[in-house]
Structure formats: C-alpha cells, structure tokens
Amino acid sequence: MIKIFERRTRIAMNRVKKKKSPFIYKSYSKKPKHKWLRKRNAQEQRFKRTGVFCILIAFFFLASLVWNIFSNGYSAFTEAQINLPVEFQAELIEDDAYRKIIQNSLLELFPGIEDRKEKRELFSLISRNAPHILEKIVEEDPTVIGRKSMVWIPASSAVSIFYKQHLYEQAKRSGKISTSQVAWVTDLARTQNMRLKFNATFFKNGDSREAEQAGVLASTIGSFMTILVCIAMAFPLGVATAIYLEEFARKSWFTDFIEININNLAAVPSIIFGLLGLSIYLNIFGLPRSSSLVGGMVLALLILPVIVIATRNALQAVPPSIRYAAAALGATPTQVVFHHTLIYALPGIMTGVILSIARAFGETAPLLMIGMVAFIADVPKTFTDPATTLPVQVYLWANNPELGFVEKTAAAIMVLLTFMVLINLLAIYIRRRFEIKW
Amino acid sequence: MAKFEKLIKASLLACTMLSVLVTGLIVLSVFSETLRFFSHIPLSDFFFGTEWSPQMAMRDDQAGSSGTFGAVPIFMGTFLVTLIAMAVATPLGLYAAIFLSVYASPRFKAWAKPILEILAGVPSVVYGYFAVITLAPILRAGGEMVGLSIASESALTAGTVMGIMITPYVMSLSEDVISSVPKSLSFGSLAIGATQSETIKKVILPAALPGIVSALLLGVSRGVGETMVVVMAAGLAANLTLNPLESVTTATVQIVTLLVGDHEFDSDKTLAAFALGFSLFFMTLLLNIAALIIVKRYREQYD
C-alpha cells in the first residue's frame, strides 16, 4: 500500500517537474492581451537590460584598463640595440675617452658627416650609457684593447621606441628624432644591424633621467623594505589590540569608544596619515625624510585598523566551545587564547593581514607627504636610506612627458599589478587551504 | 604564573592604548597645526574667501607677500569632482548590484563579483595614469567633435575616472545590502503579481534604502579623500567654477602641491595644507558617522 502511494507521488512529482511552471510570469509564451500588461512587461525588460548594460560597462572599464596598460607597456620589456664596429684604441681607453670611441665607430658606420648638428644627431642614436658599457667590456676582458670588434649597444630611448613601434610621426613630433635619424635607423634595420632584445636594464636599474636606463629595481626593493617595516609595526600591534578587545576587555564605554575609534580610523583618507607622518615622525621625532622606515611606519598606521577589524572577525568566528574545552582542562585565560583560540583564528588573521598589505603596497598619497617622491637612482641599503616605492615610481614617471617614460610607466604598473595579484593569490590560497569552517 | 598572566594582559592593553593613541595623535597633530594656521589667517578668510594663491613672495617687502588663503574654490572643486564621480558611480554601481543580486544566476554572480572587485583593488595611481593617458585625450577629442573645448586637466576627466574607481565599492556594498533583504518580502510582492522590476523598485529598494544611502555616503567619503587620481588628472589652479569642462583643484591636490618638495615647516603655506587636511578629516568623519547613524536608525528589523 505504502509502496503504491510512493510510486504515485513520484509520478505526480515528475509530471510537475516536466511541466513549466505557470506561476512565474517570465514563462508567458503568448503576448499578453492587455495593453497595460504589455507595458509593464516592457518596463521589466527595459529595467533588466539597463542592469545588463551597467554590468557590461563595468566589465568594459576593467577590460580597457587592462588592455590600455598592456598595450602601452609591453614594449618596455624590449629594447633596441645597434651593432657597432668598435675599435678599442689603447690611447683612448687610457684617457677614459670611451665616448670618443663610440663616436668614432658611429662615424665609421655613417661616413661623410661633417655638419655639427648632424653629428650630434648621429651620436644621440645610442644610449648615453654606451661609454659605461664599453668600460665594462674592457674591465672584464682587457685583451680586447687594440682590437676591433662588433658590439651591440642599446639605442637611445627615442630611437628604440621608433624602431619598436614604428611611431615615426609621434617620435618626430616629440622632437626626439629627426629625419636624418630616421634614415639612419631604417638603414641599420635593413642591414640587420639593429635588433630587439629583452630589456634586462628595466629590472636591474633604479630610476634614471634617461628613459632607456630607467628601471624598477630600486623602487621594488624600496617597496619591499617599506612593507617590511609596515608589517613589523602593524602586525603585532593590530593583533594584540584585537586580542585584547575580543578576549580580555570587559564591555564598557571605554571599549565602545575604542571600537568606534578604530572603525573611524579605517575610513580616514590616506593622505591624512601622510600629514601625521610629516608632523610627528619627521618634525617631532626627527626621523630621516624619504626613508623606507618612515614610509613603513606611516603605512602601518594606515592598515592598523584594517588588521584589527580582520583579526577580531577571525577571533569571533572561533566557536566558544573551543575556549570552554581549554578552560575546562585547566588552561589559564592567556593559555586559552594563545594556545587555542589564536591558533584556530590564524588563517583568518593571515588572510586579513595579507589583504591589508596589498592595500599598503599600492598606496601612494601618504608617501608623497613624507618625501618619498625624491629622485632616487640607487637601491636603498638600509631602512634609513632615501627610498621610493613602486606606486610612487609610477607617479613620478607618469609626470614625465617624455615618450620613453610613457611605456616605462605602463610597464612599472604591470610589475606593480603582478605583485598585487601575487599577494592576493597568496591570501586566497591561505583561505582555501587552512581556513576552518565551523 | 598569575604574574605572567597579568604581564601579558597588561602588554596587550598597552598595545590597544597605542592603537588608540594613533587616532588621538592624528587629530592632535593636524589640529594643532591648523590652530597655528588660524592664528595667522582669520577663520572667515579661509572658509569664505574666494581667492586661493598660497605662493609666498620671494622677498619680504614684495607686495602680497603673505599669500591669500580663501578655500572656497578648493572646496567647490572637491565638491564638483566628487559630484561627477558619484554621478558615474551611483547608477553604475546600483544597477550592477541589482542585476547581480536579483537577476544574475548564482554561477554568473560567483565569478562576476570577484572580477569586478578587482577594480576596487587596483591602486589609485593606476587610475590616475589611465585618466591622463587614455581618458583625457578621448574626452578632449570628443569635446572637439561637438565643439566644446575641454581642458586637458578637467574636472570631468578626474571625476569620471574617480567614478569608475568608486563603482565597484558602491556595487559591492549595496549588493550585500540588497541580498540581505529577506526573500519573503520579494516573494510576497511577486506572488500578488508584481513584475520583478516592480518588486525591486517598490519593495526591495525601499527596504534596503538605509544601507544603500550609507554605501553611497561611504563612496562620497572615499571620493573626497581620494588623492592620486585628482593629483594626476585634475588641475592645480584654483578656479571657482561649476563647469566640469574646466580645470579645478581639490583639497587633496592642494595638500600634495603645498607639501611636496623642500619647504620650511613654519610658513603659512605648509600650515594651510594642514588646515585643508583637517577640514578633509572632519568632512570624511562626518560622512562616515552619518552613514553609520543612517544604518543604525533607519534599518528595518525583519527577522
């Protein structure tokens, strides 16, 4: 009896499933008869389409942002080089006149140039760094002196861009490349004396006035040192604050006050933290200007409330039964927290901390206030050395109107975004791998 | 053992006090510099003056050596840029949130929301670059086509890019609010024959309104305090105008230009930056508190 009943219900349910539900208005197949209903349906469609449209626009912005940066920046990862027949004359090397050697070989490549202006144009085909490159070659292998050999020398920024992208008009308009230079480059390209190489300089150098020599090494290291200081200060302070508020403090007007305080701190514009750093760290404590130490300390204040909030949420997520169990076995309150609750909350805390670090990594405005915008070509060695960070470097290069720096800016943004993606992936990994669902 | 416990507790408390001290320090340091500024420049000049030229003269005897500090054009510029940003971010963010929470399939939502939140994670300096390199030329070319001359550093450019930047923020916040409206409300509305859009407009949005308003206020507070986009895309000259095609300046831009570079610390010029910073701090604080109060007071308790 029961079995028959079960079968019948199953059949009935199947029927219901197969039939399209008539209760949802969407499945009206016929056009409604009434005009007012048609109007309402049309309104519904319009509304829905607007929603789709807005989502699409948001995606479009994201896509154009990414595409724009990629299309501007990918070319910065290559540089054009010119094959020069260099004669390492002993007397010139003794005089340290490497520039002269380069000039001689250029004149040898394009003989018959007398005009001084044309000569200058010819010499500016190659990077200003060329003499240093020759110097290095001689240092590494002194036997080269007195001989003649072909050397690949990086081209100057304007020539490089022209060669890479055939931006003849744009390069010419910027006044960086002349008609005769274009002719020479075309000639060099025809005779296979020009090539594109991976631009290692970009990753090996610090900032430079010359676009072809500017790199992101100094700013990347500056960024990491700044973040290191930032973590060292914000992590213990933030976690300790959260533990106190969540586990030890009795609820009172005072804890309420602290809570409101910290929540408000999280919404203060970042530039205000720069003002704080300027007036307290630099003017009262007298810490060194533009150093990664001060930068890290400013960013630490910035992410401190974020860390506190994230840690509190993670601690709240640990069920009280864990605490009771530990306490029942005789653990003291601090043992309960540090041996049990904190351990379980750690993945959540780490995720929050890493995400806040990502925010600090991309922060620019407060660092401008404490002078990290200075031109810094050297890699910082200690925490008190003048340093700059990647986003600030992006800002500095973006302000440079020279054509060579446009692609450098986009390339630096690509490096910056790569780091951001890596940091975020780390957070996602930790969350997926370690977080405990209660 | 008990001593050890007490020690740990005390050190935790010390850390907490230090964190709180930070807030106090911010207010105190910025506020004291602001007070010093207002001991030189009268309050009314700052808040009602329409002339902003903080450049100090080179020599003391030169005319107008003190600079004028009327901050109205700056607040106006901040207002204008934020207004444009919200004009972009409000419809985009709200419609996107509605679509994601009501119409989109769970699968689409599961990957679309994180992707759009990438936009919120991109550093603002990148948006600044985007504004300068891409949007400004496009807008200028577009303006020329219809016979408008748009300054290369216009409020429109800065505002639009800032709007793009705030959109995912507004979207994410209001999506959470809309999703948290109980399903029974919309089911009830659908059951008596309302279409989906009618349900959204007449049931879900009114129920979610306090949350949405507070999300918008938080968006405004972000826009007001945003620095890099306006530093790169808006101008430096303090024009008192409401024309979005002209170049305007904002409080954050002025703070940056006044304080970057070498300067002695006691001049009115640097103190003016602190006065601007304090007004900014105060403004965002008010906005955040307003957002908090709106959510607390007007939220309907459904469960």
Side-chain angles (χ1 to χ4, degrees):
Chain A
M1 182 66 202
I2 294 173
K3 267 195 176 165
I4 293 170
F5 180 71
E6 269 187 354
R7 223 182 69 199
R8 280 196 183 158
T9 19
R10 209 181 302 135
I11 290 168
M13 275 169 69
N14 281 346
R15 267 195 210 134
V16 170
K17 256 187 210 163
K18 267 175 203 160
K19 244 204 257 168
K20 271 195 173 171
S21 161
F23 302 115
I24 297 174
Y25 98 99
K26 273 185 217 156
S27 53
Y28 273 118
S29 49
K30 272 187 283 179
K31 235 181 180 178
K33 195 158 58 173
H34 303 290
K35 201 175 170 192
W36 56 271
L37 201 52
R38 278 210 298 271
K39 205 173 134 197
R40 281 173 64 197
N41 281 355
Q43 220 171 25
E44 162 73 20
Q45 286 304 317
R46 255 203 316 277
F47 190 79
K48 194 174 170 185
R49 265 185 225 130
T50 321
V52 175
F53 179 68
C54 285
I55 283 274
L56 286 182
I57 286 193
F59 274 116
F60 168 75
F61 279 141
L62 181 63
S64 63
L65 189 74
V66 171
W67 186 81
N68 169 38
I69 286 162
F70 185 78
S71 64
N72 272 323
Y74 79 97
S75 60
F77 294 110
T78 53
E79 64 173 4
Q81 295 180 336
I82 298 174
N83 201 8
L84 277 187
V86 179
E87 196 169 359
F88 291 94
Q89 286 166 307
E91 57 267 38
L92 285 179
I93 287 174
E94 261 166 41
D95 291 352
D96 244 5
Y98 291 100
R99 187 170 298 280
K100 186 85 192 135
I101 299 179
I102 294 277
Q103 289 173 356
N104 284 343
S105 54
L106 272 169
L107 283 174
E108 190 190 323
L109 214 56
F110 297 103
I113 291 169
E114 298 297 330
D115 186 34
R116 274 187 65 173
K117 189 170 158 269
E118 267 210 317
K119 262 189 185 170
R120 209 179 316 127
E121 282 177 9
L122 179 64
F123 297 154
S124 67
L125 276 184
I126 51 150
S127 163
R128 287 205 191 162
N129 197 33
H132 299 286
I133 293 173
L134 288 192
E135 204 177 334
K136 225 180 214 168
I137 292 175
V138 173
E139 260 172 34
E140 271 168 22
D141 180 18
T143 59
V144 88
I145 296 173
R147 275 194 290 147
K148 189 173 176 180
S149 61
M150 298 298 278
V151 180
W152 286 99
I153 302 279
S156 73
S157 172
V159 170
S160 188
I161 286 179
F162 164 64
Y163 181 72
K164 273 186 285 196
Q165 306 176 347
H166 303 279
L167 285 175
Y168 172 50
E169 278 308 316
Q170 215 174 330
K172 204 173 161 191
R173 215 181 314 135
S174 71
K176 273 281 174 179
I177 191 163
S178 68
T179 324
S180 40
Q181 279 179 324
V182 171
W184 292 325
V185 172
T186 332
D187 200 39
L188 281 170
R190 197 169 38 77
T191 54
Q192 308 269 308
N193 276 324
M194 239 175 143
R195 67 173 184 184
L196 276 184
K197 256 288 182 96
F198 173 68
N199 187 0
T201 326
F202 186 67
F203 295 101
K204 277 192 205 152
N205 274 18
D207 200 1
S208 169
R209 304 270 182 223
E210 308 293 328
E212 75 269 11
Q213 283 185 61
V216 290
L217 184 69
S219 50
T220 308
I221 292 193
S223 255
F224 277 103
M225 287 169 76
T226 310
I227 290 298
L228 211 64
V229 175
C230 171
I231 297 173
M233 186 171 160
F235 181 69
L237 207 57
V239 172
T241 305
I243 290 176
Y244 181 78
L245 288 178
E246 200 55 46
E247 304 288 331
F248 292 107
R250 241 176 256 118
K251 206 160 168 54
S252 66
W253 64 269
F254 182 66
T255 49
D256 279 349
F257 167 73
I258 294 177
E259 203 174 328
I260 292 170
N261 235 326
I262 284 170
N263 285 340
N264 273 327
L265 205 58
V268 169
S270 58
I271 194 166
I272 306 288
F273 289 94
L275 287 179
L276 168 86
L278 178 64
S279 71
I280 293 197
Y281 293 150
L282 297 186
N283 287 311
I284 296 181
F285 294 163
L287 293 171
R289 215 175 135 75
S290 1
S291 63
S292 50
L293 178 70
V294 176
M297 283 164 75
V298 167
L299 292 183
L301 299 185
L302 188 76
I303 66 168
L304 184 66
V306 186
I307 291 183
V308 172
I309 293 169
T311 309
R312 289 190 70 174
N313 288 341
L315 286 171
Q316 270 167 13
V318 178
S321 54
I322 299 281
R323 297 181 182 94
Y324 298 153
L329 289 173
T332 62
T334 49
Q335 282 171 340
V336 171
V337 172
F338 286 98
H339 296 180
H340 302 274
T341 322
L342 194 60
I343 307 295
Y344 285 118
L346 209 55
I349 296 175
M350 288 317 287
T351 320
V353 169
I354 291 171
L355 289 180
S356 64
I357 286 170
R359 188 181 159 197
F361 201 89
E363 199 57 68
T364 322
L367 301 181
L368 302 184
M369 300 284 91
I370 52 158
M372 285 182 98
V373 275
F375 173 81
I376 283 140
D378 298 323
V379 176
K381 290 195 182 59
T382 66
F383 287 106
T384 48
D385 281 349
T388 188
T389 67
L390 259 176
V392 179
Q393 187 74 79
V394 169
Y395 168 65
L396 283 172
W397 284 350
N399 276 347
N400 201 319
E402 227 175 273
L403 198 59
F405 277 107
V406 172
E407 59 166 20
K408 286 279 144 69
T409 315
I413 289 177
M414 281 160 86
V415 175
L416 174 66
L417 290 183
T418 311
F419 280 121
M420 300 284 278
V421 167
L422 287 181
I423 295 173
N424 278 299
L425 283 182
L426 182 66
I428 291 173
Y429 172 75
I430 288 181
R431 182 152 54 200
R432 289 260 165 90
R433 176 81 178 70
F434 296 106
E435 200 164 71
I436 307 152
K437 284 265 188 300
W438 300 97
Chain B
M1 200 63 197
K3 229 182 198 171
F4 180 68
E5 294 271 310
K6 265 191 191 145
L7 192 77
I8 287 189
K9 244 176 119 168
S11 56
L12 286 177
L13 180 63
C15 284
T16 311
M17 299 314 287
L18 206 59
S19 312
V20 177
L21 198 69
V22 169
T23 345
L25 278 184
I26 290 187
V27 179
L28 219 78
S29 65
V30 179
F31 189 61
S32 68
E33 306 293 344
T34 310
L35 280 185
R36 268 169 69 197
F37 174 72
F38 284 126
S39 68
H40 296 240
I41 310 286
L43 258 168
S44 56
D45 280 14
F46 184 74
F47 285 110
F48 301 110
T50 53
E51 192 75 31
W52 178 268
S53 55
Q55 284 312 316
M56 303 285 279
M58 286 299 158
R59 286 171 285 118
D60 281 344
D61 53 331
Q62 214 167 336
S65 62
S66 60
T68 45
F69 298 94
V72 171
I74 292 172
F75 293 133
M76 211 61 170
T78 312
F79 170 73
L80 182 62
V81 172
T82 314
L83 194 73
I84 296 169
M86 289 318 285
V88 173
T90 308
L92 269 183
L94 268 187
Y95 267 115
I98 289 170
F99 182 81
L100 278 185
S101 56
V102 179
Y103 289 109
S105 68
R107 258 181 69 195
F108 178 77
K109 188 180 159 186
W111 64 262
K113 205 182 170 194
I115 286 184
L116 289 179
E117 276 168 355
I118 292 177
L119 272 173
V122 173
S124 54
V125 70
V126 177
Y127 283 102
Y129 175 79
F130 181 69
V132 174
I133 296 292
T134 312
L135 199 68
I138 289 177
L139 282 181
R140 205 170 38 208
E144 265 168 27
M145 238 190 282
V146 292
L148 289 168
S149 77
I150 298 179
S152 60
E153 297 180 322
S154 66
L156 190 63
T157 320
T160 313
V161 172
M162 196 194 273
I164 297 173
M165 200 174 138
I166 298 175
T167 301
Y169 190 66
V170 170
M171 181 199 80
S172 181
L173 285 176
S174 35
E175 206 272 326
D176 289 343
V177 176
I178 292 172
S179 297
S180 68
V181 172
K183 285 275 177 289
S184 54
L185 286 185
S186 54
F187 286 161
S189 163
L190 290 171
I192 54 171
T195 63
Q196 192 67 262
S197 63
E198 283 161 355
T199 306
I200 293 166
K201 277 183 252 174
K202 304 213 167 111
V203 177
I204 298 181
L205 283 188
L209 197 62
I212 288 175
V213 170
S214 94
L216 292 180
L217 283 183
L218 290 178
V220 171
S221 124
R222 264 194 82 162
V224 169
E226 171 50 41
T227 311
M228 292 322 292
V229 169
V230 275
V231 166
M232 291 164 87
L236 295 177
N239 292 328
L240 183 57
T241 175
L242 274 177
N243 181 357
L245 308 181
E246 273 182 49
S247 149
V248 296
T249 190
T250 72
T252 45
V253 174
Q254 286 306 317
I255 294 174
V256 169
T257 39
L258 290 176
L259 288 184
V260 168
D262 292 321
H263 50 262
E264 81 258 59
F265 199 63
D266 278 337
S267 69
D268 285 350
K269 205 175 129 187
T270 51
L271 291 180
F274 280 91
L276 283 176
F278 189 74
S279 340
L280 201 64
F281 175 71
F282 201 66
M283 247 189 294
T284 50
L285 199 66
L286 281 186
L287 283 170
N288 295 327
I289 291 175
L292 221 84
I293 289 175
I294 286 175
V295 168
K296 266 209 177 131
R297 178 160 310 164
Y298 296 103
R299 188 166 53 197
E300 314 251 341
Q301 295 291 338
Y302 291 108
D303 300 313

